[in-house]
Amino acid sequence: SQAGAQAATAADVAAPVVPAGAEPAGHVVARPGSDFMVDVIKSLNLDYLAANPGSSFRSLHESVVNYGGNKSPELITCLHEESSVAIAHGYAKAAGRPMGVMAHGTVGLQHASMAIYNAWCDRVPVVIFAGNGIDASKRRPGTEWAHSVQDAALLVRDFVKWDDAPASLQHFAESTVRAYRVATTGQQGPVVIMADTDLQEDAIHGPAPTIPLLRAVRPVQGDSASLADAARLLLGAKNPVILADRAARNQVGTILLVALAESLQAPVVDLGARMNFPSTHHLNHSDRKRALVRDADVVLMLDVGDPWGQLNTVVEPQRTTRSLSRPDVKVITIGLGESSIRSNYQDFQRFLSVELAINGEAQASIPFLTEQILKQATAAQRSAIAARRAPLQAQWDKQLQSAREAAALGWDASPISTARLAMETWGLIQNEPWSLAVSDRISWARKLWPTTQYHQMLGGSGGQGVGYGLPASVGAALANKALGRMTVTFQPDGDLLYAPGALWTAAHHKIPLLMVMHNNRGYYQEVMHLQRMASLHNRRTDQAWIGNSLRKPDIDFAKIAQGHGVWAEGPISDPAQLRGALQRALAEVKQGRPALVDVVCQAR
């Protein structure tokens, strides 16, 4: 009966009875340190804490749900620490502010490390609280020793912005507020604050600690004289090009970049780490990057993660380099890339000599640069700028028509083409306030979906770590749920298999998310690598699927999702059946639940 089911559910979640003698008689900690830690976390306005439970933060966990009322922050139950951090990563990009994570000792940070590295490479703020028992005389025998460490953050120190191990509650308060500011200022990134088990569990003694007020650090504009020099270079160019990667941090940044581009009538290539520039604008020429770079005399790079790679390429298999640009091209960079370089990890990319390197946040620097362009432009320069508009409009029209024609190829093919997958999905969500949680997997969405809002394309993982897509989409959907947006993602098959437990998190917390599988039944990037090596070695290319195939047996992703409590349908390989399945899935999402459609697709 329904009443019986409710009673069983209540019994399942009821607190277990503590056996007599488990605690000394009368021993009660009325005000543990972890309660104060929750007060500190609440002062940061963190809405959520993602966590897979662990004993090293058991007191903090209990304080969150009882003392803190499991609200602001609310605990998001995760089945793997990598998913916890990836959820926070996706959330931050959709919400525009960080989410918290709790991780367990050595093993928790080891599990979380790939996701932390993704957030580092993607310049995304995540606030991580990691439990650890530093006082060896108080550790319980066995597991607690194996899960404790002298310097836990050492595991991830090369790819976090900052970490600290507070020795007192006052220290915890100040370092936590500092960590939030560090994570969200300038070149953003993950931070780690250790939460010592004794600091959590011991009673508060003496004067009550204080919590510093959180005050945001204002964005850093580049040097004014240098920006004025950049304006002169751009005005003197015949073929200026703007490359934007992480230039925009919100919709304001997108609007500012449009104004900058229009002041020059310069084509913009959106490299896609963020949604920088509307795809509907006549100056968006992202599909023409090679041609534009080849002819450019001045290139403005706005927070571009790999400047060298935009102007050069490595020719396989010889690994020789080839320039893609004119030898006399002048490059201007605006960003904070050189402020976060580490010695060991090489995500900073190859060095490029440039004409003018400006240290500052791109979005904060764009208004002054635009002002200088408008102020300095001569009558002849204004005339030349105006003359660029019509040819660029014609090239934009041609670019769009070419993409549409290419998408139509193989429209009725089985397995289903990725172009049809993208456009059938678009046909259903186009009138919704949509957000594509992972926008670097299927290129057709960026090519053909009319994108005008910053939140509509949230980029990729940053570090290209497999296992990001599903949990990051759940995190983005969690943020979008409160913002009234509908979240969709194209979910690769191999990526889902790294962290399928995120499906349960979405179902358990009723997070509406439309997951459309790009199921090509293999690790296709690696297939191509093996084919290239086999050709180089003059051997069989048909063996490239060995070690890369996800067939025999085929994986039923609909059953995986259903087993985690998610509505699912598929596998679907007949394109005629695709629209109906997507419609049924969308109906589930509109009811506030996650849904998955398993689509067997072409490889690319």
Side-chain angles (χ1 to χ4, degrees):
S1 70
Q2 185 174 358
Q6 290 174 341
T9 301
D12 288 341
V13 299
V17 176
V18 178
E23 296 290 350
H27 182 80
V28 174
V29 178
R31 181 79 162 110
S34 55
D35 283 3
F36 175 73
M37 291 179 175
V38 169
D39 290 335
V40 174
I41 293 169
K42 281 181 175 289
S43 77
L44 305 180
N45 294 317
L46 295 179
D47 287 333
Y48 300 101
L49 280 174
N52 181 254
S55 60
S56 65
F57 57 84
R58 62 185 184 178
S59 190
L60 181 57
H61 185 163
E62 190 277 335
S63 289
V64 167
V65 297
N66 281 326
Y67 173 75
N70 197 32
K71 185 175 182 180
S72 299
E74 175 187 345
L75 192 72
I76 300 297
T77 309
C78 300
L79 307 189
H80 195 289
E81 285 89 352
E82 185 174 345
S83 294
S84 298
V85 176
I87 285 172
H89 183 166
Y91 177 94
K93 290 205 285 188
R97 56 196 182 91
M99 177 175 163
V101 172
M102 293 190 295
H104 169 56
T106 56
V107 292
L109 281 176
Q110 288 177 68
H111 277 308
S113 61
M114 179 64 249
I116 296 172
Y117 185 64
N118 274 335
W120 164 260
C121 292
D122 202 23
R123 312 305 186 227
V124 171
V126 180
V127 181
I128 302 163
F129 301 96
N132 185 46
I134 195 64
D135 188 343
S137 70
K138 295 183 179 180
R139 292 179 196 149
R140 293 170 294 164
T143 301
E144 197 160 78
W145 274 81
H147 289 190
S148 296
V149 66
Q150 287 179 297
D151 184 4
L154 179 64
L155 287 160
V156 296
R157 186 163 292 139
D158 275 340
F159 43 91
V160 296
K161 277 196 75 177
W162 186 65
D163 70 87
D164 197 16
S168 68
L169 291 175
Q170 186 63 52
H171 186 174
F172 178 88
E174 293 173 13
S175 288
T176 298
V177 174
R178 184 194 300 271
Y180 188 100
R181 289 213 325 182
V182 169
T184 57
T185 299
Q187 189 85 289
Q188 299 182 333
V191 292
V192 176
I193 294 296
M194 303 309 302
D196 180 68
T197 52
D198 294 328
L199 209 59
Q200 294 176 56
E201 297 180 16
D202 288 349
I204 297 174
H205 300 291
T210 58
I211 303 173
L213 292 176
L214 176 64
R215 293 287 186 266
V217 177
R218 294 188 177 185
V220 179
Q221 177 192 295
D223 173 66
S224 297
S226 298
L227 290 169
D229 289 342
R232 281 190 286 275
L233 283 172
L234 289 163
L235 285 168
K238 290 184 177 180
N239 297 305
V241 175
I242 299 172
L243 305 184
D245 202 9
R246 295 185 177 88
R249 298 196 172 190
N250 47 44
Q251 185 64 16
V252 171
T254 298
I255 294 168
L256 292 173
L257 183 52
V258 168
L260 172 63
E262 289 179 344
S263 74
L264 292 164
Q265 285 299 312
V268 176
V269 175
D270 190 338
L271 297 173
R274 301 291 186 271
M275 187 284 185
N276 296 287
F277 201 80
S279 66
T280 55
H281 198 285
H282 76 281
L283 291 176
N284 188 319
H285 290 253
S286 299
D287 283 357
R288 299 180 56 242
K289 185 184 86 168
R290 283 232 170 169
L292 292 170
V293 166
R294 180 193 63 214
D295 298 333
D297 51 354
V298 177
V299 177
L300 172 63
M301 297 189 184
L302 299 173
D303 210 344
V304 172
D306 182 12
W308 187 91
Q310 310 312 316
L311 304 186
N312 302 274
T313 189
V314 175
V315 180
E316 291 271 37
Q318 300 91 347
R319 291 190 179 269
T320 57
T321 61
R322 179 165 61 88
S323 175
L324 302 174
S325 63
R326 292 167 40 166
D328 61 344
V329 66
K330 291 181 171 61
V331 178
I332 305 163
T333 62
I334 303 177
L336 295 168
E338 292 176 340
S339 66
S340 60
I341 288 178
R342 295 291 193 271
S343 299
N344 191 22
Y345 286 86
Q346 302 291 296
D347 63 297
F348 49 80
Q349 306 294 323
R350 189 167 175 175
F351 183 78
L352 177 72
S353 295
V354 302
E355 186 78 13
L356 185 57
I358 302 174
N359 187 62
E361 295 179 46
Q363 179 167 317
S365 302
I366 287 172
F368 186 82
L369 177 59
T370 305
E371 177 186 316
Q372 286 296 304
I373 289 168
L374 296 174
K375 180 180 178 180
Q376 294 183 32
T378 65
Q381 288 170 336
R382 286 194 291 270
S383 178
I385 288 169
R388 292 179 193 143
R389 193 188 195 288
L392 286 169
Q393 178 70 65
Q395 289 168 336
W396 184 88
D397 292 339
K398 184 178 178 180
Q399 172 185 251
L400 179 60
Q401 182 60 30
S402 177
R404 286 173 173 168
E405 291 172 357
L409 298 175
W411 188 256
D412 294 321
S414 177
I416 295 167
S417 73
T418 54
R420 182 155 187 178
L421 182 70
M423 298 317 294
E424 291 278 18
T425 303
W426 167 249
L428 289 178
I429 69 166
Q430 60 183 308
N431 295 320
E432 307 291 337
W434 60 273
S435 174
L436 184 59
V438 181
S439 57
D440 69 339
R441 297 296 85 189
I442 292 181
S443 63
W444 297 109
R446 291 188 62 220
K447 290 174 183 286
L448 291 174
W449 291 14
T451 306
T452 59
Q453 301 294 311
Y454 178 81
H455 65 263
Q456 290 175 330
M457 296 277 171
L458 295 181
S461 66
Q464 305 304 318
V466 182
Y468 165 86
L470 176 60
S473 297
V474 171
L478 178 64
N480 285 332
K481 179 180 178 180
L483 295 167
R485 302 172 188 154
M486 198 205 70
T487 310
V488 60
T489 190
F490 294 112
Q491 176 59 52
D493 48 354
D495 180 275
L496 185 146
L497 294 171
Y498 268 58
L503 291 164
W504 181 88
T505 298
H508 177 71
H509 291 282
K510 296 181 174 58
I511 300 173
L513 170 63
L514 176 59
M515 293 165 277
V516 183
M517 291 295 301
H518 175 209
N519 179 6
N520 60 17
R521 292 178 170 165
Y523 296 106
Y524 195 73
Q525 183 71 37
E526 281 62 39
V527 170
M528 293 189 294
H529 280 305
L530 260 69
Q531 288 172 335
R532 174 172 286 167
M533 291 297 101
S535 297
L536 178 65
H537 302 157
N538 195 26
R539 296 172 183 162
R540 293 174 55 180
T541 59
D542 62 335
Q543 301 272 59
W545 281 98
I546 296 175
N548 293 319
S549 174
L550 294 176
R551 307 204 64 166
K552 297 181 180 180
D554 294 337
I555 298 168
D556 191 327
F557 290 95
K559 285 184 178 177
I560 291 175
Q562 290 162 1
H564 286 82
V566 173
W567 183 98
E569 189 171 323
I572 295 167
S573 56
D574 181 355
Q577 298 177 1
L578 179 57
R579 185 172 181 82
L582 290 172
Q583 287 174 328
R584 291 185 286 276
L586 184 61
E588 285 292 315
V589 175
K590 286 188 172 183
Q591 293 298 314
R593 299 183 288 266
L596 179 145
V597 179
D598 184 6
V599 185
V600 182
C601 298
Q602 299 287 334
R604 286 292 174 98

